Amino acid sequence: MPLATIEHMSRPPAARDAVLDAFERLLVEGGDRAATLDAAARGAGVSKGGLLYHFPTREALIDGVLARFSALVDADLEVMASAPEGPVAYFVRSSVASDTAFERAGVAAARLAQAGHPSAVRMIRSVRQRWLGAVRAHVADPTVALAITLIGDGLYYDSALHGDDAETGLDAPPEHEMDDLVALLERLADGSPRA
Amino acid sequence: MPLATIEHMSRPPAARDAVLDAFERLLVEGGDRAATLDAAARGAGVSKGGLLYHFPTREALIDGVLARFSALVDADLEVMASAPEGPVAYFVRSSVASDTAFERAGVAAARLAQAGHPSAVRMIRSVRQRWLGAVRAHVADPTVALAITLIGDGLYYDSALHGDDAETGLDAPPEHEMDDLVALLERLADGSPRA
DNA sequence: GATACTATACCGGCTGGACGGTAAAGTAAT
DNA sequence: ATTACTTTACCGTCCAGCCGGTATAGTATC
C-alpha cells in the first residue's frame, strides 16, 4: 500500500499506472457510468483480477485518480507563481483544457464530483480554494480575484464539456478573444484599485 | 407481497411528469449513474412498466429532460431581457443554483453532458450561445460580454457541484461578495470602454 | 549453491445483484 | 370494443467484488 521505498520493490507495478490512466480516460470520455472496472482493466491490458490486486475496490481506484490530481495541482501552483507571462495570464490560459496529464486528471476529478462522490467534491472544492488564494496573492482587489477565478472555472468546465466526439471544435473561445480577455483581466488586476 | 394499491392516481398525464421529475432529481443528486430506470420509477411512484410506457427507452427519458430544459431557457431569456435590476445583474445572480425547476433542469442537462450524451452536449452548447447573445445585446464591449458569460458559467457549475450532501454550505460566494461582483461587472458593462 | 519459504504481481473464472428492455395481462373510461 | 394507461413477470447482459491458482523474485538457512 505505501508508495514509498520504491527501491525495495522487486518489480515496478506497471499495471498500476496503466489502470489509473485507463480509468481516467474512461472518466473523461464517458463519465462515471462508462468508467467500469472491466473497461478499465481492458483498456489497461490487464485482467480484472490484476486490477483488483492494485485497487481492491472501485473507491480505491477513485482515490488513486484524486491523489494523482492533487499532486499535479501542487506542481501547477508552483509553475503558476513564477510564470513568465504572469500568474493571471497563466491561470486564465491554462484553464482551457488541452490534453495534458494535468488537464485529464482535473476533468476526471470533475466528472467524479458531478457524480456525487464526496471525496471528489471535497477535492475540487479545496483545489478551487487554492487557486483562488493564488490569484488573490497577485491581485489587490479581492472582487477582481474572484471574477478571474470564476472565469477560469467557466473556461475549464466549458472546455471539459465535450465527450469523446472530436468532431466539433473545442468550446474554448478563439485565440484573439482569449487575448482580449487576458488583456482585460490584467488591466483589472493591476489597474484601478477603486472606481 | 405485491405492492397494495394505497390510492388511486387518476390523472392520466401525471405519471409522465412525475417520472421526469424523479429522473431529473436523480441526475442532480447522483449523476448519470444513479439515474436508473428502476430508481426513477420508484421515485415517481410508478412501476417500471408504467415508466416504459411513456418513455420507451432511456434515451427517450433523456430527451424529455432536455426538451423541458430548453423550454425553461426560452422563458428565462424573456424574463432576463426585461428584468428590473438589468440583464447583467439578473444573469449573474441567477447563475448560482437555487432549487427552482429551471435550475434543476439545467443541472440535470449538465450532468448528462458530462456523461457524454451527444444531445445533451449540443443542448448545453446552444443554451450557452443563447445566453452569450443575450448578454452581448446589452453590453457594448464583446470581451466584457464574454467575461460576464464565463463568470456565469463558473458560478453555475460551482454551485452545481454538490451532490446530495446538504452538510456543507453552497459553493456560491457570500452575499456581499456577490454584490461586489455584480457592481464590478455592471461598471464594466456600461462603463468605461477604455481602449 | 541448493532448499525452503515468503511476498509481490497478475490471471481467469465465478456469483449475486442490478441494469435496460420485453411481453402479456389487467383496469378504467369512451 | 377499443383505447389509454398501468401492472407483474421475465430475459439477457453487465456490473463490482471474490477466490483459487500461477509465476517470478527476494531472503534465509544449511
Side-chain angles (χ1 to χ4, degrees), chain B residues 6-25:
Chain B
I6 302 173
E7 57 182 301
H8 252 76
M9 298 178 71
S10 45
R11 266 283 191 273
R16 219 193 103 100
D17 281 326
V19 167
L20 234 33
D21 288 339
F23 190 66
E24 213 173 76
R25 220 196 61 242

Side-chain angles (χ1 to χ4, degrees), chain A residues 1-159:
Chain A
M1 183 208 269
L3 301 174
T5 67
I6 300 174
E7 35 193 312
H8 293 155
M9 283 184 167
S10 46
R11 261 169 302 160
R16 218 194 105 100
D17 282 325
V19 167
L20 234 32
D21 288 339
F23 190 66
E24 212 173 77
R25 221 196 61 243
L26 288 163
L27 279 172
V28 171
E29 290 177 2
D32 191 39
R33 197 171 234 243
T36 68
L37 300 189
D38 290 88
R42 216 176 310 125
V46 172
S47 76
K48 196 159 149 187
L51 182 153
L52 284 162
Y53 169 77
H54 295 287
F55 304 97
T57 84
R58 195 170 182 274
E59 269 298 307
L61 239 180
I62 289 173
D63 289 344
V65 168
L66 294 177
R68 232 165 55 159
F69 175 53
S70 184
L72 289 168
V73 170
D74 289 337
D76 184 69
L77 281 172
E78 286 186 29
V79 172
M80 173 178 165
S82 58
E85 70 268 43
V88 171
Y90 176 82
F91 173 73
V92 173
R93 289 197 191 277
S94 70
S95 289
V96 3
S98 48
D99 198 26
T100 65
F102 175 47
E103 297 292 342
R104 264 186 298 122
V107 174
R111 301 269 197 255
L112 291 168
Q114 297 272 327
H117 294 275
S119 50
V121 174
R122 264 188 306 257
M123 175 68 67
I124 295 281
R125 271 203 252 252
S126 91
V127 167
R128 236 194 61 83
Q129 214 58 32
R130 282 200 274 170
W131 269 326
L132 178 57
V135 173
R136 268 225 189 90
H138 293 271
V139 175
D141 188 336
T143 303
V144 172
L146 176 61
I148 290 173
T149 308
L150 285 171
I151 285 173
D153 293 342
L155 286 169
Y156 196 83
Y157 285 114
D158 286 340
S159 64

Side-chain angles (χ1 to χ4, degrees), chain B residues 106-176:
Chain B
V107 174
R111 301 270 197 253
L112 291 168
Q114 298 272 326
H117 294 275
S119 50
V121 174
R122 264 187 307 253
M123 174 69 66
I124 295 280
R125 270 203 253 249
S126 92
V127 166
R128 237 193 62 82
Q129 215 58 33
R130 284 201 273 170
W131 270 324
L132 178 57
V135 173
R136 268 224 189 93
H138 293 271
V139 175
D141 189 338
T143 303
V144 172
L146 175 63
I148 290 173
T149 308
L150 285 172
I151 286 173
D153 292 343
L155 287 169
Y156 195 82
Y157 285 113
D158 287 340
S159 64
L161 199 65
H162 73 292
D164 54 350
D165 57 338
E167 147 248 339
T168 21
L170 256 57
D171 279 330
E175 192 86 17
H176 70 275

Side-chain angles (χ1 to χ4, degrees), chain B residues 25-172:
Chain B
R25 220 196 61 242
L26 287 164
L27 279 171
V28 171
E29 291 177 1
D32 192 39
R33 197 170 233 244
T36 68
L37 299 190
D38 290 85
R42 216 177 309 125
V46 172
S47 73
K48 195 157 94 163
L51 181 152
L52 283 161
Y53 170 77
H54 295 285
F55 304 97
T57 84
R58 193 170 184 273
E59 269 298 307
L61 237 179
I62 289 172
D63 289 343
V65 168
L66 294 177
R68 231 166 55 160
F69 175 53
S70 184
L72 289 168
V73 169
D74 289 337
D76 185 68
L77 281 171
E78 287 186 29
V79 173
M80 173 179 166
S82 58
E85 70 269 44
V88 171
Y90 176 84
F91 173 73
V92 173
R93 289 195 192 277
S94 70
S95 288
V96 4
S98 48
D99 198 24
T100 65
F102 175 48
E103 297 292 342
R104 263 187 299 123
V107 174
R111 301 270 197 253
L112 291 168
Q114 298 272 326
H117 294 275
S119 50
V121 174
R122 264 187 307 253
M123 174 69 66
I124 295 280
R125 270 203 253 249
S126 92
V127 166
R128 237 193 62 82
Q129 215 58 33
R130 284 201 273 170
W131 270 324
L132 178 57
V135 173
R136 268 224 189 93
H138 293 271
V139 175
D141 189 338
T143 303
V144 172
L146 175 63
I148 290 173
T149 308
L150 285 172
I151 286 173
D153 292 343
L155 287 169
Y156 195 82
Y157 285 113
D158 287 340
S159 64
L161 199 65
H162 73 292
D164 54 350
D165 57 338
E167 147 248 339
T168 21
L170 256 57
D171 279 330

